[in-house]
Amino acid sequence: MNFEDARRIMVDSQLRPNRVTNEGVLAAMGTLPREQFVPEAQRPVAYVDEDLAIAPGRYNMEPLTLARLVQAAAPKSFELCLVVGAGTGYSAAVFARLCDTVFALESDGALTASTSALMSDLALDNIVIVEGALVDGLPKQGPYDVIMVNGGVKMLPDALTDQLADGGRMVTVMIDEAGLGRAVLIVKGATGISQRVLFDASIPALPEFEKEAGFVF
């Protein structure tokens, strides 16, 4: 399979026609080898327009959903980013092409080890892979200009929103009680936290964000 052609087709047929206009996002997703971020058996379908299971409770987001979330987060080259539930690191790798430094938090020890090795193989040396509880975030390295929760969430704990810098943005897919998902942009401003719904989206919830906890929209 020609993965270079698959990447080009993904960008030209999935992303560009569907409101992804940020050239940095398009360039990142048009050059990163997405096939290396999925199990070997799934490589032939690495560029299809659907979520791909990569480990228990972990998914690589549908390319369009990811691209629009990254675009909404508007990362800048000098900013610090945190990806929560990093999985195999594809979302973190996209942000790494757009931000100064990316911390990728993952609670699965086996995934942490394999993702660290992959980042090294791909020379993505501005990504730091950290093993830890997802709901706690990574406060010692914050505050963050951008936080992405890399999966669906049914709640957001205060611990994560507290780690946003002033003017910081968080993106994720919120899942309501009916099971409907909506991509959201959360911004920390001078008067507190605000939320805006971006578009409808569907991705399974991360197991760690299934239950009700401190901060709920």
Side-chain angles (χ1 to χ4, degrees):
M1 180 174 180
N2 188 320
F3 290 116
E4 186 173 335
D5 281 351
R7 280 192 290 279
R8 177 182 54 78
I9 292 169
M10 175 190 72
V11 170
D12 290 343
S13 65
Q14 296 179 42
L15 308 188
R16 288 189 186 276
N18 289 289
R19 302 182 184 180
V20 181
T21 58
N22 184 288
E23 290 299 329
V25 175
L26 293 168
M29 294 184 67
T31 55
L32 281 168
R34 184 175 167 91
E35 71 276 4
Q36 295 192 35
F37 293 85
V38 300
E40 188 169 356
Q42 291 189 348
R43 288 183 178 181
V45 295
Y47 294 92
V48 300
D49 54 346
E50 60 183 53
D51 306 316
L52 294 178
I54 52 175
R58 297 290 185 272
Y59 292 80
N60 268 2
M61 276 190 185
E62 175 188 349
L64 178 59
T65 300
L66 173 63
R68 292 188 66 182
L69 285 174
V70 176
Q71 179 171 266
K76 301 175 180 63
S77 61
F78 55 85
E79 290 188 323
L80 182 64
C81 173
L82 172 66
V83 175
V84 178
T88 55
Y90 182 73
S91 298
V94 173
F95 276 108
R97 294 290 179 89
L98 303 167
C99 290
D100 181 63
T101 303
V102 178
F103 285 91
L105 180 64
E106 177 52 60
S107 58
D108 184 317
L111 271 179
T112 302
S114 61
T115 300
S116 294
L118 178 59
M119 298 302 105
S120 179
D121 291 344
L122 296 176
L124 291 168
D125 54 9
N126 63 330
I127 300 178
V128 182
I129 311 296
V130 182
E131 182 178 351
L134 303 189
V135 295
D136 293 339
L138 200 59
K140 290 184 179 180
Q141 304 297 337
Y144 302 96
D145 302 294
V146 175
I147 298 176
M148 177 185 184
V149 183
N150 188 43
V153 301
K154 294 184 178 179
M155 61 81 184
L156 279 174
D158 291 336
L160 286 185
T161 52
D162 287 348
Q163 290 169 43
L164 283 171
D166 291 340
R169 293 86 64 202
M170 178 187 293
V171 288
T172 190
V173 175
M174 297 289 298
I175 301 173
D176 64 20
E177 292 181 357
L180 300 175
R182 293 177 177 85
V184 297
L185 171 66
I186 297 162
V187 179
K188 184 175 182 179
T191 58
I193 299 291
S194 64
Q195 176 200 352
R196 177 163 63 92
V197 174
L198 302 171
F199 54 90
D200 292 341
S202 176
I203 187 171
L206 290 164
E208 292 89 340
F209 294 90
E210 284 275 5
K211 296 181 180 179
E212 253 182 62
F215 191 91
V216 182
F217 281 111

